[in-house]
């Protein structure tokens, strides 16, 4: 029986799992939880995930509710090789470090940009939030400068860290922000689009949906 994934395409966290499954040629039983319609609050879903977030993976008796834990689990259990989540201790530590950076720094700074617009009714992101996000992007751009032509962990093939971070980055672009000030990051995102199976068909599509919604909200308040 295929693992079950509860997800919402506009969510970059969900899309990182969907793209990982595509890259692994792994069939999932995908069930949409429409956040716009607050389906995550339905009792039957809360019974599975009390945090009422997406994505949620159910694989037998295992229930995982954090996207980065899900992608590393899927790559470890279902990968034909270790390209997406390398077994080499040093390389894996680099991948894990990037996933923690994504969770603890980048996503927090991204939320500071968009959540006041999406949830608090402000007319536009604050300059401070945009500056803080740009700083985090510069750190990633500098990391790529140290290993030109490679992926974020220094690998010749993309890893789950690239999937998670690229899924976020394409959402950033779709929401109307530019990576022009971070040319190495823009080039890396282009490589991810070209070399990660399913990325354009899944992540770019969901990001475009999110971007349309975000830009429409900004326009309505201008």
């Amino acid at each position: 029986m295929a693992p079950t994934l509860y997800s919402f395409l506009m969510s970059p966290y969900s899309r990182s799992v969907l793209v990982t499954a595509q890259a692994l040629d792994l069939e999932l039983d995908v069930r949409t939880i429409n956040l716009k319609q607050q389906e995550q609050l339905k009792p039957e879903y809360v019974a599975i995930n009390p945090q009422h977030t997406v994505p949620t993976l159910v694989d037998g008796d295992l229930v995982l509710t954090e996207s980065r834990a899900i992608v590393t689990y899927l790559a470890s259990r279902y990968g034909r090789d270790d390209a997406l989540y390398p077994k080499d201790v040093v390389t894996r530590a680099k991948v894990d470090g990037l996933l923690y950076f994504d969770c603890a720094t980048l996503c927090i700074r991204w939320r500071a940009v968009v959540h006041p617009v999406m949830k608090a009714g402000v007319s536009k992101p604050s300059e401070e939030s945009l500056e803080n996000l740009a700083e985090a992007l510069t750190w990633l751009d500098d990391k790529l400068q140290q290993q030109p032509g490679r992926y974020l962990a220094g690998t010749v093939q993309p890893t789950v860290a690239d999937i998670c971070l690229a899924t976020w980055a394409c959402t950033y672009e779709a929401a109307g922000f530019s990576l022009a000030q971070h040319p190495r990051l823009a080039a890396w995102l282009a490589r991810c689009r070209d070399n990660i199976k399913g990325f354009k068909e899944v992540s770019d599509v969901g990001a475009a949906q999110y971007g349309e919604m975000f830009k429409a909200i900004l326009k309505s308040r201008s």
Side-chain angles (χ1 to χ4, degrees), residues 68-122:
R68 298 159 194 87
I70 294 171
V71 299
T72 56
Y73 165 75
L74 292 178
S76 296
R77 179 161 187 177
Y78 294 104
R80 291 186 298 271
D81 53 41
D82 70 338
L84 281 181
Y85 194 40
K87 293 179 181 177
D88 173 74
V89 173
V90 172
T91 308
R92 178 166 289 197
K94 293 178 180 179
V95 171
D96 289 340
L98 288 160
L99 293 174
Y100 293 137
F101 174 79
D102 179 34
C103 177
T105 300
L106 198 57
C107 286
I108 289 174
R109 295 189 181 200
W110 167 245
R111 288 209 308 266
V113 170
V114 298
H115 277 208
V117 175
M118 302 287 289
K119 298 184 177 183
V122 304

Side-chain angles (χ1 to χ4, degrees), residues 26-130:
L26 174 64
E27 180 181 353
L28 295 175
D29 176 9
V30 179
R31 304 184 187 184
T32 297
I33 300 295
N34 193 320
L35 303 185
K36 295 172 68 175
Q37 298 177 7
Q38 296 192 321
E39 291 180 351
Q40 76 276 18
L41 301 179
K42 289 184 175 181
E44 57 268 31
Y45 186 66
V46 174
I48 299 169
N49 177 358
Q51 295 173 263
H52 50 79
T53 55
V54 291
T56 298
L57 180 81
V58 179
D59 192 8
D61 294 331
L62 176 66
V63 178
L64 287 175
T65 61
E66 296 292 337
S67 60
R68 298 159 194 87
I70 294 171
V71 299
T72 56
Y73 165 75
L74 292 178
S76 296
R77 179 161 187 177
Y78 294 104
R80 291 186 298 271
D81 53 41
D82 70 338
L84 281 181
Y85 194 40
K87 293 179 181 177
D88 173 74
V89 173
V90 172
T91 308
R92 178 166 289 197
K94 293 178 180 179
V95 171
D96 289 340
L98 288 160
L99 293 174
Y100 293 137
F101 174 79
D102 179 34
C103 177
T105 300
L106 198 57
C107 286
I108 289 174
R109 295 189 181 200
W110 167 245
R111 288 209 308 266
V113 170
V114 298
H115 277 208
V117 175
M118 302 287 289
K119 298 184 177 183
V122 304
S123 60
K124 62 180 181 180
S126 70
E127 288 301 319
E128 181 182 9
S129 69
L130 291 170

Side-chain angles (χ1 to χ4, degrees), residues 151 158 187-200 204:
Y151 292 91
W188 158 81
L189 179 57
R191 291 199 302 278
C192 289
R193 282 192 167 108
D194 289 339
N195 296 310
I196 298 175
K197 182 179 179 180
F199 192 91
K200 294 178 182 177
D204 280 343

Side-chain angles (χ1 to χ4, degrees), residues 177-214:
F177 302 99
S178 174
L179 290 174
Q181 299 301 314
H182 311 280
R184 286 174 290 271
L185 201 59
W188 158 81
L189 179 57
R191 291 199 302 278
C192 289
R193 282 192 167 108
D194 289 339
N195 296 310
I196 298 175
K197 182 179 179 180
F199 192 91
K200 294 178 182 177
E201 296 80 2
V202 175
S203 198
D204 280 343
V205 171
Q209 294 175 5
Y210 181 93
E212 288 173 7
M213 178 181 66
F214 183 76

